[in-house]
Amino acid sequence: HKSTLRNPKVKDLERYFNGLQSKLKGLDRQQDKEEYLSVVKENAEDIRKNVLKDLMVRRTRSVITGNYGDDLKKQNLKFPEVGDPEAIYYNFDEELDSIFTDTVDIIVNQFKYTRYTPLLYLERSLTTIEKLSQRNMQGFMRVLLLKRLESSIFAFNKSISRFIYSYEKFIEQYQKGNVYVSKKHINKIFEYLDNDDDESIQKLIDEDKATAYASEDFYDEFIVDLKADLKALKNIQGLWSNVKNDPKLEKFIELLKTDPVLKNNKLIVFTESKETAHHLEEMLNPVFDNKVRAFSSFSSPAERTEVIDNFDANARNQKDDIRIVISTEILAEGVNLHRSNVVINYDIPWNPTRMMQRVGRINRVDSKFDTIYTYNFFPAGQINENISLQEAAEAKIEAFIEMLGNDARLLTDEEIKSHDLYKRLTSRESIIGDDEDDPELRHLTFLRKLRDTDKELFNKIKKLPKKARSAKKYTEDNTSTVTFLRKGKVRKIFKTTRNAQGILSEEVDFDMAAEIFESDINTKREKIEPEFYKHLESNKKEFADVFIKESESLKPAGNRGNKAKLIQIIRAIEDSPEFTEIENDYLRGVLTLMRDGSLPKATIKKIIDGIKNENTPFKIYGKIKSGIPEQFFQSTFVTSSADTRGKREVILSEYLVRSS
């Protein structure tokens, strides 16, 4: 479980995350909602500060242009302009609108999804987790059908046919006295749900017969509801059996032929259904010179290479065999497609964040285009002269979300009010992200400019001696001290506070420390008072405690015998006054070897036998060091961002005097 993160607090990730999880123990998500959400928020901030900050760098368009604007100009680079997404409305005639509305009503209000929630009918009590899992499955399958309905008539009919086949086979087995319940692959099912792969879900559910029950183990309502569901599915199939036209597809073809932007550029079309993608490929190729390609999880590595060669401006072997690529979410991340400047969302991107990710494939700083275009399809029902197309589309979206109730969060992946969703899907802010400040980058940019424009001052700062200190007045209720400390590659900043118990220290991040250190050129330097040294010692102790906690976390669960004895001995002598940082680092290295299982039992036993009743720390240290050959450490002390070798050092401090 050893990580290479710099912060010793998260060297053992399993222990770290278990600690966060334990804070939620005993809290009910519903009854203790406010406290539960508060703890979740605290945990999220803890993870951001201690884990993600070292793993992720998020630079939005506004942050890059704000901090690197001059560099971009020098290199003749720029981001293309991004306008508001353009809404494309498609209408139903009166009959089709009635079919659509009736279908939604059946999916949401009549269909019970009994096939996918068999445990709810089992004649025994269920655990809370089992009940929740079954309810979630019901919600996920409901959302899946609604997404298919909005995606394309073709994909929806395919899904309904699979549902009917699955129900018929399930009922057939029930009547033979057998019920097979799939619990084994529930996580895999959710993964398929995320990828809108209902065909694989159906196959997994149908084939997994890990848990078998007898039909009589279930309440009588089970078979009644199964048959009612099958009847509802066949009713839906009957509603759509005579529908031959597809107004959404017809609108798309018309637009591709007439819109000036779409006629003359490479296009990237996103859909949440791979069946929709491949159906569109089949329908569009005869109309557009066979230059349309579908890309999904069905596609091969060779097909991926073909897409990159046709759409990545940095591809070595650029080609023009494809003008329109139709893809599932599989192309929304990790590739550059900036030979195009158009993204079309054929399905409603229910989660606006996905829209940003999709447009991010073409919104590149080295794009040759001046403008990025986004088109979003919306169903607007039947033509009504009394309301606008926008109002009709908003009403459809609102109906979807309101009818789903609590399951709406499964559709949007976040809490979004129905009247806000349309607004977000037609706003450029959802594409480029909110304008935000990055304090860390802002301060680093300031230092970079200082380096380039005032080399003398920059070198003076670089040559500041260790333990440098200063003082200034600061707007706080009590005096405090900010200290920057280092040990190996671990760097931390602590700030003191005062309460009834005395002086306390807490870690602060770079952003907060930089804000505190930042001073006007005319800021007066204050006198450093004796109180400063108490604050400094508190910060130093807090920094030292980080490494003590780390060594404590090295104890494996269930240590017994000589290994446990040696760990106990090392902890007893570690940080003895006569030890330098060299001795302490060595002992922590021994703890690491034992945690990783790198020390043979015979070696540990020999050390314990050699120590016997010895109680002098230096002599115990000598016995340990002589008993462990140097080669044991050669593969352990690999330099990394988590390397803590070296002595603890105070780099600089600032004493903050309370303003009177």
Side-chain angles (χ1 to χ4, degrees):
H1 309 301
K2 185 178 180 181
S3 76
T4 57
L5 294 168
R6 289 180 296 175
N7 190 344
K9 180 179 179 180
V10 291
K11 274 197 172 180
D12 188 328
L13 287 174
E14 182 177 30
R15 191 181 294 267
Y16 169 73
F17 283 110
N18 284 342
L20 296 182
Q21 189 65 31
S22 67
K23 295 179 182 179
L24 294 169
K25 195 171 183 180
L27 294 178
D28 185 273
R29 294 180 66 172
Q30 299 299 327
Q31 296 178 0
D32 309 306
K33 186 175 181 180
E34 287 190 14
E35 186 179 357
Y36 183 90
L37 291 176
S38 176
V39 173
V40 168
K41 189 175 180 180
E42 288 174 8
N43 283 351
E45 177 60 23
D46 196 295
I47 293 169
R48 185 196 69 79
K49 184 170 74 173
N50 291 304
V51 179
L52 297 181
K53 195 167 185 179
D54 284 337
L55 297 177
M56 298 172 61
V57 177
R58 184 172 182 266
R59 297 285 186 253
T60 64
R61 172 188 172 124
S62 59
V63 167
I64 292 172
T65 53
N67 290 282
Y68 295 109
D70 292 341
D71 290 336
L72 293 175
K73 287 179 182 177
K74 287 177 184 177
Q75 299 178 60
N76 199 27
L77 295 173
K78 62 178 177 59
F79 280 104
E81 290 299 318
V82 177
D84 289 331
E86 183 171 337
I88 303 170
Y89 306 106
Y90 59 97
N91 295 103
F92 302 135
D93 59 28
E94 184 176 353
E95 181 183 5
L96 191 54
D97 189 54
S98 176
I99 291 172
F100 188 92
T101 303
D102 290 346
T103 300
V104 172
D105 180 62
I106 294 172
I107 290 172
V108 175
N109 298 319
Q110 299 178 37
F111 192 50
K112 294 184 178 180
Y113 303 86
T114 311
R115 163 72 182 91
Y116 309 102
T117 59
L119 293 181
L120 297 179
Y121 295 86
L122 195 59
E123 288 186 336
R124 70 165 175 82
S125 59
L126 300 179
T127 66
T128 302
I129 292 177
E130 285 176 326
K131 287 180 183 177
L132 182 62
S133 175
Q134 294 283 279
R135 296 295 183 197
N136 281 342
M137 180 61 75
Q138 184 181 49
F140 275 119
M141 299 306 279
R142 179 183 289 121
V143 165
L144 185 145
L145 276 182
L146 285 175
K147 280 187 173 183
R148 285 292 178 276
L149 177 61
E150 193 277 323
S151 179
S152 69
I153 295 173
F154 178 84
F156 180 69
N157 283 332
K158 286 283 189 182
S159 293
I160 290 297
S161 295
R162 279 194 292 272
F163 271 54
I164 289 173
Y165 177 81
S166 178
Y167 263 83
E168 288 176 339
K169 290 294 182 183
F170 192 84
I171 291 172
E172 182 183 318
Q173 286 297 319
Y174 178 91
Q175 291 171 339
K176 291 179 180 179
N178 305 312
V179 174
Y180 299 105
V181 178
S182 173
K183 293 189 291 183
K184 179 180 176 183
H185 297 300
I186 191 69
N187 290 329
K188 193 68 178 175
I189 288 171
F190 288 156
E191 179 185 325
Y192 286 142
L193 283 165
D194 278 343
N195 295 323
D196 294 288
D197 191 352
D198 62 317
E199 187 175 2
S200 295
I201 293 169
Q202 207 69 66
K203 185 177 179 182
L204 199 62
I205 291 174
D206 291 340
E207 292 181 355
D208 177 27
K209 300 179 180 179
T211 307
Y213 295 91
S215 299
E216 56 263 27
D217 293 338
F218 294 81
Y219 292 112
D220 294 340
E221 290 89 343
F222 187 40
I223 187 62
V224 173
D225 286 350
L226 281 169
K227 290 180 177 180
D229 275 357
L230 180 58
K231 183 179 179 181
L233 288 168
K234 289 187 174 181
N235 285 343
I236 292 174
Q237 191 177 55
L239 286 172
W240 292 92
S241 61
N242 294 320
V243 175
K244 304 302 179 186
N245 64 315
D246 184 342
K248 186 177 184 181
L249 177 58
E250 292 166 3
K251 181 70 175 180
F252 189 29
I253 293 174
E254 176 196 341
L255 204 68
L256 291 174
K257 289 180 176 180
T258 58
D259 186 287
V261 172
L262 304 186
K263 283 171 61 178
N264 301 312
N265 288 292
K266 285 179 176 286
L267 313 177
I268 302 164
V269 183
F270 282 103
T271 172
E272 297 204 5
S273 165
K274 59 187 177 185
E275 283 176 335
T276 297
H278 290 277
H279 175 64
L280 289 178
E281 177 188 42
E282 182 182 349
M283 301 304 291
L284 296 179
N285 258 328
V287 185
F288 298 101
D289 302 323
N290 289 314
K291 288 199 169 186
V292 182
R293 296 289 186 278
F295 191 85
S296 70
S297 56
F298 286 155
S299 303
S300 66
E303 289 171 307
R304 179 183 175 88
T305 300
E306 183 185 28
V307 170
I308 290 172
D309 288 344
N310 277 271
F311 282 85
D312 186 347
N314 300 321
R316 290 184 179 180
N317 304 309
Q318 293 189 12
K319 299 177 181 177
D320 280 305
D321 304 323
I322 307 173
R323 192 174 80 82
I324 303 172
V325 64
I326 306 164
S327 177
T328 58
E329 214 63 33
I330 198 168
L331 277 186
E333 294 183 275
V335 291
N336 294 325
L337 304 171
H338 53 310
R339 284 181 68 191
S340 169
N341 65 329
V342 182
V343 164
I344 301 171
N345 295 303
Y346 193 75
D347 304 347
I348 295 174
W350 296 100
N351 181 351
T353 303
R354 286 192 173 186
M355 195 162 65
M356 183 193 300
Q357 292 168 342
R358 293 170 178 180
V359 175
R361 302 308 96 218
I362 62 175
N363 189 12
R364 291 295 193 242
V365 73
D366 57 344
S367 170
K368 70 176 184 179
F369 298 103
D370 295 323
T371 307
I372 295 291
Y373 298 95
T374 310
Y375 294 77
N376 292 332
F377 273 82
F378 294 101
Q382 61 179 311
I383 296 173
N384 187 334
E385 295 180 357
N386 296 319
I387 62 172
S388 68
L389 290 172
Q390 177 179 327
E391 289 172 320
E394 287 185 88
K396 283 288 184 188
I397 291 175
E398 184 171 346
F400 267 84
I401 293 178
E402 295 302 327
M403 290 179 77
L404 281 172
N406 290 333
D407 287 337
R409 61 185 173 80
L410 305 176
L411 182 66
T412 61
D413 295 335
E414 56 181 297
E415 296 289 341
I416 297 180
K417 294 180 180 177
S418 56
H419 61 271
D420 288 337
L421 183 58
Y422 179 86
K423 188 184 298 183
R424 289 180 62 178
L425 293 177
T426 53
S427 166
R428 72 186 291 270
E429 279 69 34
S430 294
I431 297 175
I432 64 174
D434 298 329
D435 287 339
E436 58 183 62
D437 183 31
D438 186 328
E440 181 173 354
L441 185 57
R442 177 161 47 83
H443 288 116
L444 292 174
T445 302
F446 169 79
L447 291 174
R448 186 163 164 253
K449 286 183 178 178
L450 181 67
R451 179 199 65 190
D452 296 339
T453 59
D454 195 339
K455 288 183 171 55
E456 183 179 348
L457 177 57
F458 185 79
N459 287 328
K460 186 177 180 181
I461 294 170
K462 276 181 66 177
K463 293 177 181 178
L464 278 173
K466 290 172 186 174
K467 299 184 181 180
R469 64 198 67 175
S470 187
K472 69 176 181 179
K473 286 186 177 180
Y474 196 67
T475 54
E476 283 193 350
D477 294 336
N478 295 296
T479 56
S480 64
T481 294
V482 181
T483 307
F484 174 36
L485 303 107
R486 178 178 68 193
K487 185 177 190 297
K489 291 194 174 184
V490 175
R491 297 170 174 83
K492 287 188 171 293
I493 305 170
F494 292 92
K495 180 179 180 295
T496 56
T497 57
R498 183 183 285 277
N499 63 15
Q501 283 72 45
I503 298 172
L504 302 174
S505 293
E506 61 182 7
E507 186 179 355
V508 297
D509 60 21
F510 172 86
D511 303 342
M512 181 180 290
E515 294 289 345
I516 294 172
F517 285 140
E518 189 173 352
S519 302
D520 185 83
I521 194 170
N522 297 316
T523 300
K524 180 184 175 183
R525 180 178 179 178
E526 299 293 326
K527 180 182 177 182
I528 293 179
E529 302 167 348
E531 177 82 0
F532 161 78
Y533 297 98
K534 296 179 183 178
H535 290 262
L536 178 61
E537 284 305 311
S538 176
N539 285 340
K540 288 167 66 177
K541 182 180 183 302
E542 190 67 23
F543 186 55
D545 284 350
V546 169
F547 300 94
I548 293 172
K549 290 171 186 173
E550 176 201 356
S551 65
E552 288 175 350
S553 73
L554 293 174
K555 181 178 180 180
N559 265 332
R560 295 291 183 270
N562 290 326
K563 187 175 181 180
K565 288 179 184 177
L566 185 54
I567 289 174
Q568 189 175 8
I569 290 169
I570 291 175
R571 284 182 176 158
I573 66 170
E574 192 180 22
D575 289 324
S576 293
E578 59 263 49
F579 285 172
T580 67
E581 288 297 321
I582 295 173
E583 284 81 26
N584 283 328
D585 280 346
Y586 179 84
L587 291 174
R588 291 187 188 108
V590 174
L591 288 172
T592 301
L593 286 175
M594 286 193 289
R595 186 204 59 187
D596 293 343
S598 300
L599 278 186
K601 291 181 180 179
T603 301
I604 296 174
K605 184 178 185 302
K606 184 178 179 181
I607 294 171
I608 291 294
D609 291 342
I611 293 172
K612 291 184 178 177
N613 297 321
E614 187 62 68
N615 54 21
T616 304
F618 246 120
K619 290 184 178 180
I620 294 173
Y621 173 83
K623 296 285 186 181
I624 294 172
K625 189 162 187 179
S626 63
I628 302 176
E630 189 64 32
Q631 58 262 33
F632 278 109
F633 292 91
Q634 290 175 0
S635 61
T636 302
F637 288 142
V638 179
T639 301
S640 72
S641 60
D643 189 0
T644 61
R645 287 180 294 171
K647 63 180 182 178
R648 291 191 291 270
E649 298 176 301
V650 175
I651 305 302
L652 57 85
S653 300
E654 181 152 47
Y655 183 55
L656 305 174
V657 182
R658 182 183 63 180
S659 297
S660 54

